[in-house]
Amino acid sequence: QLLVDRPDGTYCFRLHRDRVYYLSEKLLKLAASVPRESLVAPGTCFGKFTKSQKFRLSVTALDFLAPYAKYKVWVKPGSEQSFLYGNHVLKSGLGRITENTAQYQGVVVYSMADIPLGFGVAAKSTQECRKVDPLAIVVFHQADVGEYVRNEDTLT
Amino acid sequence: MGRKLDPTRKEKRGPGRKARKQRGAEVELARFLPPGRVGANRRFASRSRAAKRRLGAGSGPAGRRPLGGGGGREPTGQTARGRPGFSDGNSKWLAPAKAKKTQPKGNHVELSSDGEVEEGSWEMEEEEDGSSEEMVDDYGASSSEEEELLPIEKAALKQKSDRERLSEDDSEEEEEEEEAEEASEQKMGQKGEEGLDLQLNLDIDEQFKLPTKPLCEFLAVDDSLTVFPPAEPPDLHVIHQRIQGNMEVLQDFVVKREEGRSRQEYLALLRRDMAAYYSYSDFLLTKLMDIFPLPELINFLEANEVPRPVTIRTNTLKTRRRDLAQALINRGVNLDPLGKWSKTGLVIYDSTVPIGATPEYLAGHYMLQGASSLLPVMALAPQENERILDMCCAPGGKTSYIAQLMKNTGMILANDSSAERLRSVVGNLHRLGVTNAVVSNCDGRQFPKVLGGFDRVLLDAPCSGTGVISKDPAVKTNKDEKDILRCAHLQKELILSAIDSVNAASETGGYIVYCTCSIMVEENEWVVDYALKKRNVRLVATGLDFGKEGFTRFKDRHFHPSLKSTRRFYPHTHNMDGFFIAKLKKFSNAIPQAQKDEEPAAEAAAPSTVPNTVMEPPPKKKKLEGSKADKEQKLPQPALKKKRSLQAQRRPLKA
């Protein structure tokens, strides 16, 4: 909801060819005049609906969601590269984690310099994270900025 | 080399005028004389050897002595070994007292004599070679041989190798002549040239002479002939020298020309040589020779062999240049601000990490972009809350720069006609956090039809790419007349569409920036001139204070004088890709009537063909003629075209 009513005008989500885009209403009007076949990307793509109609969040939404993230995970410099390659985060790479993160909670992954790196799902709650051994996975990788380079084509 | 006073090695001075004067030379030369078979560092080794020698080590054997200006002072190879007591030609003026003094020093005598010999003539060498048995003969040692190669030496060797190379030259001419049948004829002509080529290589001051007439005819003709595989690979060194010689002649043609040879022949030879040396097609080279004066041409060609430095642009939507520079330096990147003219550019000298994969890149803090691509956007100067169209946006560098200058306000329509390249546009825009862009995949020529009424338009037209040869060397050979004309045609259509998509009445805008990454006049000045004639636009200053002005006349064409405000950039002068930028302002939305005969044709075209333009004459604009009713444009903003504009547009499309 916060994303919809922003101070500088109303924004909305629009579905275009199985992808959800986020754009302001002004932009929407412009995008409407472009023929639908030719329209590639109105606004920012947030995610897509998969064939089985599940919604998959994409990394391109990172900048918008990151400020609103309630649960954050910070990753140590050593394993930020590994996360960017698409690997899950191990306990040994975990820098900080917000308190009270439930298990399987969606989180935003940050580097130590507070640069958002991507999305993930907490594999263990905060309590369990403390107890578990260093090689256990604590955050499942979902989307990371490395994809801009890896999967340029699929971002469309 | 000047004489160096070495106080530690003062020689004893004996009586005699010459002793005083010539002593120094001897001494210095003595320093450089090679001792026994010590290889390694020639120059310094020779000094140390000389020092050793003086201490009594074996003296160096006779060797070739370079002569000539400056040669005498330089470290030299072995001297021609004179017999002790200076029985060589120098004995006449060598003071015998020297021998006495230096005898106790051992071989120093010989060294001195050798030194003296050095200043003798070349012929000494032969003679003294034979007499070198007494001494330790390191004549064959590589070091000494290399030491011998001082200027005059080299010239002598060159003379020999020239004689060898002549046959190479001949074969080179042959292969450039390409006709196997004419090889035999050429050989005859070439024998005559031997003398000429010899002279070319030997005496730099001597006049550059063209090859003899029969060969020259072949040279002139060969453009149309097909190339046969060469008998021998062309000797690039020789070609390079010939190019330089040729250039010298052409610079000062009246003085240095050869009798009976026209300038055309020199030019033809130069073209062929440059085509062979730099691997350009003859067509492209001819075009380049028209654009650049000759010395600049060489600089341009050389600059195209070398890649331009990597530059990046800070994404001010996410970070500041200072912070980014700091972060990158921490990662081990060596960088510098780009120049005074850019507040967001950084040039990368070298880096330990891949620039395209740092976390800052992935977070969208910067974009890899050529320096010349920053210029058209700076010229465009987009303001906040404007509607901007970028007609050929892939891969999105300029579009994102526009967005960051507008701070994500307003609206950008990023269009490109190629769907695959659009993927990179989308990726880049998302990565850099651009929110005000809509990406579309239309042909640029459809533009005002699809959507018009923009405040500014940026047209980075698809071109022949002659400005970015350093990035894509294939352009050197695969462009020909047809390609250039085809590009020019497309660019003319696109620029007309771009102009028509702009709303001249917009308060903040009404500007079109046309740019290409090519240096061809057909694609640049010609297209802009065409636009000036066809539409109500005028050229304005680009706002870039550096760069070469565009041409107002070229060969036999004269362009509008306002073309001086366009800018050209070259790789060899600005160290960025070749670029051309023109900024146009539309001062009226009306389309000027072309010719009378086209009007009836335009009117005859049925209104049904007109899709969606609205004929709302804004109060300030002049109406051209009675408008026909049109469908209203979807957008609230009034469209700018009259029907005629569409038809006028149709004309080039049909053409």
Side-chain angles (χ1 to χ4, degrees):
Chain A
Q1 190 52 35
L2 287 163
L3 284 175
V4 173
D5 302 318
R6 273 166 56 163
D8 48 345
T10 328
Y11 283 67
C12 51
F13 291 90
R14 278 292 171 271
L15 180 63
H16 175 69
R17 290 198 203 148
D18 282 345
R19 281 161 193 259
V20 175
Y21 291 95
Y22 172 76
L23 60 164
S24 76
E25 283 186 3
K26 276 187 316 190
L27 210 55
L28 181 61
K29 276 193 286 189
L30 178 73
S33 34
V34 174
R36 208 171 289 130
E37 304 78 48
S38 312
L39 185 59
V40 173
T44 326
C45 173
F46 255 52
K48 48 195 269 201
F49 282 106
T50 62
K51 294 236 168 61
S52 49
Q53 300 308 313
K54 297 208 176 91
F55 182 73
R56 212 110 208 203
L57 194 58
S58 111
V59 69
T60 48
L62 187 59
D63 298 324
F64 299 96
L65 294 181
Y68 301 105
K70 280 211 279 250
Y71 298 105
K72 302 182 193 157
V73 169
W74 282 265
V75 166
K76 288 194 194 133
S79 46
E80 66 180 39
Q81 277 292 69
S82 155
F83 180 71
L84 289 179
Y85 283 132
N87 301 320
H88 304 300
V89 181
L90 307 180
K91 167 104 182 294
S92 54
L94 187 64
R96 288 176 10 214
I97 185 168
T98 42
E99 280 295 325
N100 300 326
T101 315
Q103 200 175 17
Y104 305 130
Q105 170 73 43
V107 294
V108 177
V109 178
Y110 285 83
S111 81
M112 276 322 203
D114 271 337
I115 299 178
L117 296 177
F119 299 118
V121 171
K124 309 248 183 290
S125 69
T126 317
Q127 262 69 348
E128 288 174 14
C129 281
R130 295 203 191 103
K131 285 185 268 177
V132 91
D133 63 311
L135 286 183
I137 296 179
V138 293
V139 177
F140 292 125
H141 166 282
Q142 268 199 332
D144 71 273
V145 287
E147 282 173 19
Y148 283 121
V149 174
R150 291 202 309 272
N151 304 335
E152 234 179 17
D153 302 338
T154 59
L155 285 178
T156 315
Chain B
M1 263 167 53
R3 258 189 222 208
K4 290 194 186 143
L5 177 61
D6 191 348
T8 61
R9 294 176 43 232
K10 260 202 220 309
E11 306 302 333
K12 276 197 256 168
R13 300 197 164 223
R17 181 171 66 88
K18 294 249 172 151
R20 198 176 300 257
K21 273 193 197 163
Q22 310 233 333
R23 206 50 188 289
E26 273 179 10
V27 163
E28 293 196 310
L29 286 167
R31 283 193 264 160
F32 306 132
L33 291 179
R37 301 193 180 248
V38 181
N41 196 342
R42 289 181 300 286
R43 288 190 181 226
F44 304 121
S46 58
R47 286 188 203 218
S48 59
R49 275 185 255 144
K52 262 196 242 167
R53 248 179 272 137
R54 217 165 301 107
L55 299 175
S59 66
R64 307 207 154 234
R65 269 288 67 85
L67 288 177
R73 293 261 173 265
E74 305 201 23
T76 56
Q78 304 120 349
T79 59
R81 169 77 185 103
R83 290 152 286 264
F86 316 106
S87 57
D88 54 4
N90 291 327
S91 57
K92 293 184 230 114
W93 43 274
L94 266 184
K98 259 184 262 168
K100 264 192 248 156
K101 258 174 259 125
T102 53
Q103 287 280 322
K105 285 196 178 180
N107 299 327
H108 189 57
V109 172
E110 291 162 350
L111 297 178
S112 324
S113 73
D114 291 345
E116 289 309 320
V117 169
E118 286 172 29
E119 295 173 301
S121 60
W122 280 357
E123 292 82 59
M124 304 310 300
E125 296 170 339
E126 272 97 334
E127 160 192 350
E128 275 136 13
D129 264 350
S131 60
S132 53
E133 310 89 318
E134 309 101 316
M135 304 190 299
V136 177
D137 193 345
D138 63 343
Y139 177 64
S142 56
S143 62
S144 46
E145 278 178 1
E146 280 164 315
E147 277 184 34
E148 298 167 349
L149 288 183
L150 290 183
I152 300 298
E153 257 311 281
K154 283 181 191 155
L157 284 180
K158 246 197 240 173
Q159 202 168 15
K160 283 196 201 130
S161 58
D162 283 345
R163 288 194 195 107
E164 294 156 2
R165 250 193 261 129
L166 268 184
S167 47
E168 247 186 11
D169 270 354
D170 302 348
S171 55
E172 186 194 307
E173 321 282 22
E174 276 180 27
E175 108 240 342
E176 296 178 281
E177 295 333 344
E178 334 92 352
E179 302 268 297
E181 304 97 50
E182 304 175 68
S184 52
E185 285 175 278
Q186 287 173 9
K187 278 206 185 97
M188 297 198 301
Q190 280 149 12
K191 287 292 191 306
E193 295 167 47
E194 263 197 43
L196 297 176
D197 280 339
L198 253 186
Q199 273 180 310
L200 165 67
N201 287 316
L202 262 191
D203 306 328
I204 301 155
D205 299 329
E206 282 261 338
Q207 190 185 23
F208 172 83
K209 290 188 165 45
L210 282 183
T212 54
K213 260 251 146 80
L215 195 55
C216 217
E217 280 164 9
F218 295 140
L219 292 180
V221 162
D222 77 349
D223 295 336
S224 55
L225 302 174
T226 55
V227 182
F228 279 61
E232 262 182 49
D235 186 358
L236 289 179
H237 184 61
V238 170
I239 302 186
H240 191 62
Q241 285 186 318
R242 229 179 25 219
I243 292 179
Q244 285 173 340
N246 208 337
M247 295 275 286
E248 275 178 28
V249 173
L250 286 169
Q251 305 280 37
D252 197 6
F253 198 61
V254 176
V255 168
K256 292 200 179 145
R257 64 178 298 172
E258 216 181 315
E259 286 310 311
R261 296 302 179 83
S262 72
R263 194 184 171 86
Q264 285 306 316
E265 290 177 4
Y266 280 95
L267 283 174
L269 176 62
L270 184 64
R271 253 212 305 279
R272 253 200 30 222
D273 283 338
M274 290 205 284
Y277 190 69
Y278 293 106
S279 336
Y280 280 76
S281 69
D282 196 64
F283 164 74
L284 192 56
L285 215 42
T286 324
K287 291 266 170 204
L288 292 175
M289 283 175 91
D290 291 331
I291 297 177
F292 294 110
L294 286 180
E296 238 193 289
L297 182 60
I298 296 279
N299 289 342
F300 176 77
L301 296 175
E302 289 289 338
N304 277 337
E305 302 294 318
V306 178
R308 303 272 80 73
V310 174
T311 57
I312 62 176
R313 184 196 87 232
T314 326
N315 182 14
T316 53
L317 293 173
K318 292 203 177 179
T319 183
R320 283 189 306 223
R321 182 162 77 160
R322 240 174 311 144
D323 303 335
L324 175 67
Q326 195 55 50
L328 283 177
I329 289 174
N330 289 343
R331 286 201 188 273
V333 179
N334 200 351
L335 50 80
D336 247 355
L338 190 49
K340 271 196 330 205
W341 49 274
S342 162
K343 291 204 204 69
T344 52
L346 288 164
V347 60
I348 308 274
Y349 295 120
D350 54 51
S351 108
T352 50
V353 293
I355 292 288
T358 64
E360 283 77 26
Y361 178 79
L362 296 174
H365 288 193
Y366 63 89
M367 165 108 188
L368 276 172
Q369 191 169 31
S372 47
S373 302
L374 302 175
L375 298 167
V377 180
M378 285 165 60
L380 184 69
Q383 309 298 317
E384 300 192 15
N385 283 311
E386 278 191 339
R387 289 160 55 118
I388 311 249
L389 166 66
D390 186 353
M391 276 172 98
C392 307
C393 61
K398 299 184 182 80
T399 317
S400 47
Y401 192 19
I402 296 177
Q404 89 184 39
L405 286 179
M406 288 163 68
K407 302 200 180 57
N408 259 336
T409 60
M411 198 214 67
I412 303 180
L413 181 55
N415 177 66
D416 199 275
S417 50
S418 147
E420 312 122 32
R421 299 191 73 207
L422 274 179
R423 284 191 229 273
S424 54
V425 177
V426 173
N428 280 324
L429 291 180
H430 278 113
R431 185 173 58 80
L432 295 165
V434 171
T435 51
N436 60 348
V438 174
V439 184
S440 73
N441 178 20
C442 312
D443 183 345
R445 293 171 281 194
Q446 298 166 9
F447 246 93
K449 186 170 93 146
V450 166
L451 197 54
F454 291 97
D455 292 315
R456 294 179 200 244
V457 174
L458 174 64
L459 172 56
D460 181 12
C463 63
S464 61
T466 43
V468 287
I469 294 180
S470 57
K471 276 194 207 148
D472 180 16
V475 169
K476 285 186 204 171
T477 47
N478 64 7
K479 296 292 177 222
D480 63 350
E481 187 76 30
K482 286 198 307 289
D483 289 325
I484 308 273
L485 288 178
R486 208 177 323 137
C487 286
H489 182 78
L490 177 61
Q491 285 157 0
K492 286 175 188 156
E493 295 182 357
L494 284 172
I495 198 173
L496 290 187
S497 307
I499 295 175
D500 293 334
S501 312
V502 175
N503 178 7
S506 96
E507 309 81 44
T508 59
Y511 290 100
I512 303 113
V513 168
Y514 171 77
C515 62
T516 62
C517 54
S518 127
I519 45 163
M520 294 276 143
V521 177
E522 285 84 3
E523 294 180 314
N524 297 337
E525 280 88 353
W526 214 341
V527 170
V528 175
D529 198 52
Y530 175 82
L532 289 176
K533 289 192 200 123
K534 288 273 186 180
R535 291 286 186 274
N536 285 326
V537 287
R538 70 165 155 260
L539 275 167
V540 296
T542 53
L544 301 165
D545 51 0
F546 65 108
K548 193 163 171 309
E549 293 171 359
F551 295 122
T552 45
R553 48 173 266 292
F554 182 72
K555 292 210 283 190
D556 54 341
R557 297 185 67 95
H558 282 257
F559 303 121
H560 197 274
S562 64
L563 266 142
K564 278 169 70 69
S565 57
T566 64
R567 288 281 178 267
R568 283 173 156 260
F569 298 91
Y570 296 127
H572 59 285
T573 49
H574 304 99
N575 202 16
M576 53 175 70
D577 300 320
F579 228 70
F580 171 81
I581 300 185
K583 184 168 179 179
L584 302 155
K585 171 139 178 58
K586 186 167 180 177
F587 51 85
S588 158
N589 275 335
I591 308 295
Q593 310 182 20
Q595 293 93 18
K596 284 287 173 62
D597 52 1
E598 288 187 83
E599 258 200 53
E603 310 228 6
S608 56
T609 59
V610 177
N612 59 350
T613 57
V614 93
M615 262 315 304
E616 272 182 46
K620 293 181 192 162
K621 281 193 248 158
K622 336 170 229 176
K623 280 190 233 186
L624 264 196
E625 1 192 302
S627 52
K628 305 181 184 167
D630 299 310
K631 277 192 294 187
E632 182 121 354
Q633 200 178 13
K634 291 175 206 155
L635 277 190
Q637 276 205 17
L640 326 162
K641 257 124 299 158
K642 303 189 175 185
K643 208 182 293 191
R644 184 168 296 103
S645 73
L646 285 171
Q647 285 147 0
Q649 231 180 317
R650 291 268 154 66
R651 251 181 289 113
L653 285 178
K654 279 188 207 146

